[in-house]
Amino acid sequence: MAGNLFEELKRRNVLRMAGLYLVGAWLVVQVGDTLLPMFGAPDWVPRSIVIVLALAFIPALIFSWVFEMTPDGLKRDAEVTPGQSIAPQTARRMDRMIMAVLLLALVYFGFDRLVLAPRRDAALVASTTHAATAKATAKAKPEVGRNTIAVLPFVNMSGEAANEYFSDGISEEILNVLAGTPELRVAARTSSFAFKGKSMEVPAIAEQLKVRMVLEGSVRKQGEMVRITAQLIDAQTGFHVWSQNYDRKLEDIFVIQDEIAKAIGNELKVKIAAVAEPGQRAGPGRNVAAHDLYLRGMALWHTRREDALWKALELFEQAVALEPRYAQGYAGMALVYGLVGDYSNRLPYAETLERARDSAERALSLDPSLPEPFATLGLVASKQLRRATGDALLQRAIALRPSFASAHQWRGNLLMSNGDFEGGLAALERASKLDPRSRVVSQNHAFALRTLGREADAKARCLTALSFAPDYGGCLEDVALVEIRLGNLDAARGYLERQAASDNPSAAGQGRELVAALKGGDRRALALRYAALAYNSKFDPASGNSIEGYNMPGVLVMLGENALALDYVERLASELGGTTDWAVMLPELDPIRCEPRFIAVVKRLKTTDPHAAKVCAGKRAN
């Protein structure tokens, strides 16, 4: 019986069909494995081909058993008489087909082993190396927590450029509400707004700002109506976590801001501390027109330019004239007066500090929950050398808004000038994390590193800032002075010339003169001119002096004029806001650090000099 079955399978060419099918299926699978990845086919495609071929094997054999090829086409085997059958001829053709397919399979097998396999192995090694490198890089990068967020400037969809401040202001208000939550780390306005108008993907922005969550949106303001669209994106996955549209009257803008902040808090499982309960936003101090002026003023304040600061002050004054109990308007005035004395000589320095203090106290009398007045009072106290009081006030501002980058920055500067290098550096590092694209924070952080003698780190910090602000004079000057200390005079000249060209074109030759003097030129003459310029032209851009006041004593020491450096330090210490408390901490002043006149200056500044013990002990030993 078995013999008869075997003979019947041979007669009906079922065995040949099996062989031809298996050899052909193997060849199809091998070619598919090679070609499909080249076309980006997903992993399920080759698996599906194997499954289909396997499932079709039995039906193919059944088909071969049931049907036979005749000169008249396919017919059921039972209907074909022995005289009509051409099974032997079909068998010979199938044998030739099997041999041809086998030959193709052998050719492909050789080609695969000799040509394709080495390429696959090389690609595998490369991909494995890339994956290992990527994994190592990922491990080297600090993990970004889910509760880190940046608020990008909302896009102005109103069709009028004049409304740009309004959409920016909405973003900043939401940012400030979120920044008051201790569980969140919120990128500062300076950094998040640096990407305004740039066509960058959200993951790339998040990577630069060291955050995971990104809030973006748009604002359309038409008459008394406003439409706000907001969406929260997880930069790690690229997915939208939350989105919402708001169509409201303009007078409801404060409620919308709170609703957005609260929705984000719900998604991130944190309680947003500054969100008001329903109905609490109404009443004195929430005048829409006054708030509009406030938003315009804050947009100008952030630029840190002299003309913009004075214009911001006008807008804040208009806001409080419109609504006398508007606390944020007085807070804005305090912020302007707290800084403007460092950018302008229109008012005496002492008067700017007094006005800052008065405005801040007025703001707190109306709303003691605002962090800006506390930060301003802390800054004023620091400039008046009341550092313990200043530190307490700045810490209060940080408690109210943990992600307040400027408060961390000002506190870091205060601690550094008080001789607390460890605490000051930690505060400035925190400010840098919150506001990585702030020019002034970058420069202050670099200064702290210079104070510690970490020249290479200071240079790297400022070079990072120069990568996005190539004309920033503060960092150009700091890098130049680091290069001088490292002995790279030609490199220093390049940075000094760039700094002069950006900050003070009339001092364009200063870099060449300083480097020439340091290389053996007339140091005395240049030092005398520098000292005279520094004494007489603190805010005069036409003076030809471009070196910052706190750096000047170090430059004079580099020129070998220690007596002039001491003269300058003494004079600077007699001026309010003279930044001598910064100057005395720089290692460049080690040659005069142990002089009685220098020690007297440190005492007058009500600070301690951590460098003195080591430097002066070494000099006594010699």
Side-chain angles (χ1 to χ4, degrees):
M1 182 70 180
N4 291 337
L5 177 62
F6 183 72
E7 289 299 323
E8 190 65 16
L9 290 172
K10 287 177 62 179
R11 186 187 72 78
R12 298 192 183 202
N13 293 317
V14 175
L15 297 179
R16 288 182 174 85
M17 174 59 78
L20 181 61
Y21 189 95
L22 290 174
V23 174
W26 180 86
L27 185 60
V28 168
V29 169
Q30 295 303 313
V31 173
D33 283 345
T34 301
L35 296 180
L36 289 174
M38 295 172 59
F39 295 96
D43 292 341
W44 60 266
V45 174
R47 288 197 298 268
S48 300
I49 292 174
V50 172
I51 292 171
V52 169
L53 290 172
L55 293 175
F57 179 63
I58 299 300
L61 297 184
I62 294 173
F63 184 88
S64 178
W65 172 273
V66 173
F67 294 96
E68 181 179 339
M69 178 65 68
T70 72
D72 297 325
L74 281 174
K75 290 185 177 182
R76 291 176 62 86
D77 185 80
E79 299 173 354
V80 180
T81 64
Q84 294 176 315
S85 176
I86 59 170
Q89 295 93 315
T90 302
R92 286 192 294 273
R93 285 197 294 268
M94 292 182 73
D95 287 341
R96 288 193 293 269
M97 290 175 64
I98 291 172
M99 291 179 65
V101 174
L102 280 172
L103 182 60
L104 282 173
L106 287 172
V107 171
Y108 175 79
F109 182 79
F111 181 73
D112 181 67
R113 291 299 175 189
L114 297 176
V115 178
L116 299 179
R119 293 182 180 179
R120 283 198 303 268
D121 293 342
L124 179 62
V125 170
S127 63
T128 303
T129 304
H130 177 74
T133 303
K135 187 175 181 180
T137 302
K139 286 183 177 179
K141 289 182 179 179
E143 184 176 348
V144 179
R146 192 168 188 269
N147 287 2
T148 55
I149 185 171
V151 180
L152 300 184
F154 282 22
V155 178
N156 173 28
M157 302 290 288
S158 304
E160 297 179 11
N163 284 328
E164 199 76 20
Y165 76 92
F166 184 78
S167 54
D168 287 353
I170 298 297
S171 313
E172 185 175 2
E173 289 284 284
I174 296 170
L175 185 155
N176 287 339
V177 173
L178 295 174
T181 303
E183 293 90 343
L184 294 179
R185 178 167 68 79
V186 185
R189 180 197 192 276
T190 310
S191 291
S192 58
F193 276 49
F195 297 96
K196 182 176 180 178
K198 296 183 179 179
S199 56
M200 288 182 64
E201 297 294 330
V202 165
I205 295 175
E207 182 179 358
Q208 290 202 28
L209 296 180
K210 301 297 185 292
V211 299
R212 178 167 170 178
M213 298 293 173
V214 174
L215 180 70
E216 62 177 8
S218 62
V219 178
R220 186 183 298 276
K221 180 184 176 187
Q222 291 183 332
E224 295 302 313
M225 297 299 295
V226 62
R227 180 173 201 181
I228 297 178
T229 299
Q231 52 189 9
L232 184 66
I233 301 170
D234 186 338
Q236 185 170 303
T237 64
F239 293 128
H240 287 72
V241 177
W242 165 87
S243 63
Q244 185 68 46
N245 293 327
Y246 300 88
D247 291 288
R248 305 284 180 80
K249 290 184 177 179
L250 196 58
E251 62 188 23
D252 295 330
I253 191 65
F254 312 117
V255 178
I256 298 174
Q257 292 166 179
D258 284 352
E259 287 182 4
I260 293 174
K262 190 172 183 179
I264 293 170
N266 291 338
E267 292 296 332
L268 301 182
K269 304 297 187 291
V270 297
K271 181 176 176 57
I272 306 300
V275 172
E277 295 301 322
Q280 288 186 352
R281 283 291 194 177
R286 305 308 301 176
N287 183 296
V288 174
H291 190 64
D292 189 85
L293 291 164
Y294 170 78
L295 294 181
R296 293 173 187 262
M298 287 305 299
L300 292 168
W301 182 82
H302 284 291
T303 67
R304 297 292 204 277
R305 298 194 318 267
E306 178 184 1
D307 58 339
L309 288 172
W310 289 118
K311 180 60 179 176
L313 181 64
E314 291 179 13
L315 293 169
F316 294 139
E317 288 174 340
Q318 291 175 33
V320 297
L322 196 62
E323 175 49 67
R325 294 184 57 78
Y326 184 38
Q328 283 183 290
Y330 291 106
M333 292 170 61
L335 287 172
V336 171
Y337 282 125
L339 289 181
V340 76
D342 297 320
Y343 294 86
S344 170
N345 62 352
R346 186 183 298 184
L347 291 175
Y349 200 88
E351 185 175 343
T352 62
L353 298 186
E354 188 59 36
R355 292 191 183 191
R357 185 173 182 174
D358 182 67
S359 299
E361 290 173 349
R362 183 73 177 272
L364 290 176
S365 71
L366 295 168
D367 187 351
S369 69
L370 292 177
E372 291 91 349
F374 283 108
T376 302
L377 289 172
L379 179 65
V380 169
S382 173
K383 291 179 175 182
Q384 294 173 334
L385 306 184
R386 298 181 293 117
R387 296 193 187 90
T389 300
D391 190 25
L393 290 164
L394 287 166
Q395 288 191 66
R396 176 57 180 161
I398 292 169
L400 290 169
R401 185 180 297 160
S403 293
F404 195 171
S406 292
H408 288 284
Q409 170 207 347
W410 295 339
R411 183 168 184 260
N413 293 339
L414 180 154
L415 295 175
M416 292 298 298
S417 66
N418 203 36
D420 182 1
F421 292 169
E422 182 178 347
L425 182 61
L428 286 164
E429 286 175 344
R430 176 65 174 170
S432 288
K433 287 180 180 178
L434 292 168
D435 205 354
R437 293 180 70 86
S438 167
R439 303 187 314 168
V440 66
V441 170
S442 299
Q443 191 276 329
N444 288 178
H445 189 186
F447 166 80
L449 293 167
R450 283 179 58 205
T451 297
L452 293 166
R454 293 168 53 180
E455 283 90 355
D457 291 336
K459 177 182 174 181
R461 185 68 187 91
C462 260
L463 288 178
T464 299
L466 292 173
S467 68
F468 58 80
D471 295 328
Y472 179 41
C475 268
L476 288 169
E477 180 175 312
D478 276 11
V479 173
L481 294 176
V482 167
E483 295 287 18
I484 290 174
R485 284 183 61 81
L486 296 176
N488 305 322
L489 297 183
D490 291 331
R493 180 178 62 189
Y495 284 111
L496 285 170
E497 289 177 351
R498 283 174 58 188
Q499 184 260 346
S502 62
D503 278 1
N504 192 347
S506 64
Q510 197 170 84
R512 292 189 297 273
E513 293 174 344
L514 177 57
V515 170
L518 292 172
K519 283 184 174 181
D522 191 345
R523 297 186 176 191
R524 175 68 177 175
L526 184 61
L528 285 169
R529 188 159 66 85
Y530 276 2
L533 288 171
Y535 286 160
N536 299 316
S537 56
K538 185 176 181 182
F539 296 114
D540 183 4
S543 67
N545 176 43
S546 66
I547 295 176
E548 290 287 348
Y550 57 83
N551 278 326
M552 184 58 75
V555 171
L556 293 172
V557 169
M558 290 177 187
L559 291 169
E561 295 297 330
N562 293 359
L564 282 178
L566 282 168
D567 290 344
Y568 184 81
V569 166
E570 287 177 332
R571 182 184 181 281
L572 202 61
S574 66
E575 295 180 351
L576 190 61
T579 65
T580 324
D581 47 348
W582 276 35
V584 298
M585 300 299 170
L586 288 170
E588 289 93 314
L589 299 189
D590 283 356
I592 62 173
R593 193 169 302 281
C594 307
E595 295 290 335
R597 293 167 64 190
F598 189 91
I599 295 171
V601 166
V602 173
K603 186 176 181 181
R604 185 190 306 172
L605 294 172
K606 302 176 183 178
T607 186
T608 57
D609 181 4
H611 294 307
K614 180 179 179 180
V615 174
C616 298
K619 288 191 174 184
R620 284 193 294 269
N622 292 328

